[in-house]
Amino acid sequence: MTSTTENTAGPATILSEDIEEIADLFSVTLTDTPASDEERAKKLDSPKFGTVFTDHMARISWRRDEGWVHRRVQKYGPLQLDPATAVLHYGQEIFEGLKAYQHADGSVWAFRPEENAARLARSAHRLALPALPVDDFMAACAVLVRTDRAWVPTAPDSSLYLRPFMFASEPFLGVRPADEVQFLVIASPSGAYFAGGVKPVSIWVDAEYHRAGPGGTGAAKCGGNYAASLLPQMEAAAKGFDQVCFLDGGSNVYLEELGGMNVFLVMDDGSVHTPELTGSILEGVTRSSILRLAADHGRDVVERRIPLTELVEGLKGGRVAEVFACGTAAVVTPVGRLAGETFDATVGDGQPGELTIAIRQELTDIQYGRTPDRHGWMRRLA
Ligand code: COI
């Protein structure tokens, strides 16, 4: 039987009062077919990234004349879409990725969720979608996590990956911003993003394809950017590489990002360098957190344009000591090898670098509540 309940699933006022007030506006209609304890335990046992989903999803609808309405949590399941739904034709869609971590005392926390909410609003602006208020974003995540609390995994390095997304739901084939939009949050228990744990990955630096161009949507987290990265990723995989690094679309000279991850270099003098935000690079929450942690450790932190030629010479001459990639899903992932049409270089001795491992450890210690949250980054959801 489907029952509609008051939202009483979580402890009172663990986010700001404003967010808790919005959370109270959500109706929660529980699924009539929840996974049994046994089924859930089976699904929570080493889930492959992005393959397992919880019992419910959060949803808010938008209409141009009404604004954001109908806040609800409902049974997870397929969406019924008219074949003319705008997103299916013109790709007016954006998304986010963040994780909920269970701490030793059983509480559940998100890492800097306001940053994801703010980025979703920036992405919305670029894709001509309506801005969702930060408090609605936070409340939707919190109510979903509270409803599906039993799905937060507890194994080491596991978390509940939250995927908020927004799309043009109006059935209309004219090319203009849609008058109807849906915002949803789904949740996926996850372990490591890369099979094999924290092993160095190999990267193909692509000089042929770009994921974004000047004035394009590179800084927005929209599906189209990821679609553009699939063919290069497939071709790199066929050559035996794990990931692709893209160069800037304007000059084809400077490192940008990996499509789903930002990239960092650690130099032989200990300084930490990453491509500056040019408008075609995604501003990662993990990226900005690492910049802060590295600076806390007294490292020189440099955001600048990094020519590929400098990276290649630096790898060969020893000036570049470590390379790592970072993102919500991938956390901090060491890079062991970089290659392109004209070069093939091992990073250091091919093993994870010292700072790479230290930063990963510190970041995850904060996220899992194993060390004090000195920057006030964590938000308790349940
Ligand atoms: C994330 O790290 O959350 C990402 O968006 C990367 C990828 C799974 C799309």
Side-chain angles (χ1 to χ4, degrees):
M1 199 185 74
T2 297
S3 61
T4 300
T5 64
E6 300 261 305
N7 169 33
T8 52
T13 318
I14 51 183
L15 293 165
S16 75
E17 277 183 23
D18 288 350
I19 298 172
E20 292 297 346
E21 267 177 33
I22 304 267
D24 284 340
L25 298 178
F26 278 75
S27 68
V28 180
T29 304
L30 298 178
T31 174
D32 50 356
T33 53
S36 68
D37 289 351
E38 203 183 16
E39 282 164 349
R40 194 174 54 244
K42 207 166 150 209
K43 288 187 170 184
L44 286 176
D45 185 25
S46 341
K48 188 169 171 310
F49 180 83
T51 59
V52 171
F53 300 95
T54 64
D55 284 329
H56 299 91
M57 58 192 188
R59 184 165 184 181
I60 317 179
S61 303
W62 180 89
R63 285 181 212 95
R64 193 166 297 283
D65 52 352
E66 283 181 290
W68 291 104
V69 290
H70 199 186
R71 293 165 179 82
R72 69 261 198 211
V73 165
Q74 60 191 104
K75 175 178 180 166
Y76 180 94
L79 304 172
Q80 200 180 19
L81 296 181
D82 188 292
T85 301
V87 68
L88 302 176
H89 302 272
Y90 308 124
Q92 198 189 4
E93 184 271 353
I94 55 177
F95 68 96
E96 274 301 319
L98 70 164
K99 288 175 171 172
Y101 308 86
Q102 173 151 319
H103 289 188
D105 65 358
S107 55
V108 181
W109 300 70
F111 179 72
R112 308 185 75 186
E114 305 92 338
E115 298 297 321
N116 297 92
R119 188 172 62 189
L120 187 83
R122 294 196 296 276
S123 301
H125 176 71
R126 181 63 184 84
L127 272 286
L129 284 160
L132 179 78
V134 170
D135 287 359
D136 267 308
F137 179 99
M138 302 278 288
C141 293
V143 179
L144 178 61
V145 168
R146 291 170 195 176
T147 307
D148 281 338
R149 171 75 192 76
W151 286 90
V152 181
T154 53
D157 291 331
S158 67
S159 57
L160 187 64
Y161 182 81
L162 301 176
R163 169 54 63 86
F165 61 103
M166 189 192 291
F167 67 92
S169 55
E170 183 185 1
F172 178 62
L173 294 184
V175 181
R176 60 139 170 82
D179 285 342
E180 287 172 26
V181 167
Q182 303 296 316
F183 169 75
L184 286 96
V185 187
I186 56 174
S188 176
S190 68
Y193 183 65
F194 290 114
V198 194
K199 263 190 355 204
V201 294
S202 57
I203 288 184
W204 176 258
V205 184
D206 205 313
E208 185 185 354
Y209 299 111
H210 298 105
R211 71 176 270 287
T217 57
K221 205 163 174 66
C222 62
N225 293 340
Y226 295 79
S229 74
L230 297 179
L231 177 64
Q233 175 68 36
M234 220 168 70
E235 293 188 3
K239 296 185 185 91
F241 291 84
D242 298 310
Q243 287 289 315
V244 174
C245 179
F246 293 97
L247 300 177
D248 76 287
S251 66
N252 216 22
V253 166
Y254 303 102
L255 302 181
E256 291 235 303
E257 57 153 280
L258 270 52
M261 286 164 262
N262 294 115
V263 64
F264 277 79
L265 316 183
V266 183
M267 313 305 267
D268 59 354
D269 63 2
S271 58
V272 176
H273 298 223
T274 194
E276 71 183 14
L277 302 173
T278 54
S280 50
I281 298 177
L282 191 81
E283 185 174 359
V285 178
T286 312
R287 174 188 181 278
S288 73
S289 309
I290 289 173
L291 288 171
R292 186 65 194 263
L293 293 179
D296 290 351
H297 285 281
R299 301 278 180 154
D300 273 339
V301 171
V302 188
E303 294 176 75
R304 66 179 174 92
R305 304 199 105 192
I306 303 173
L308 173 62
T309 48
E310 181 194 318
L311 171 63
V312 174
E313 278 157 29
L315 287 170
K316 291 193 172 146
R319 166 98 176 101
V320 176
E322 301 178 31
V323 180
F324 63 84
C326 69
T328 298
V331 195
V332 174
T333 297
V335 175
R337 177 185 169 205
L338 280 143
E341 286 302 344
T342 57
F343 71 99
D344 192 339
T346 303
V347 182
D349 59 3
Q351 293 310 305
E354 212 175 291
L355 187 69
T356 304
I357 293 299
I359 293 234
R360 183 187 166 95
Q361 188 64 45
E362 183 168 19
L363 189 64
T364 52
D365 281 349
I366 294 170
Q367 292 168 333
Y368 286 93
R370 296 186 293 248
T371 199
D373 173 22
R374 65 177 183 280
H375 294 297
W377 281 340
M378 304 304 291
R379 296 287 174 272
R380 188 169 167 196
L381 300 180

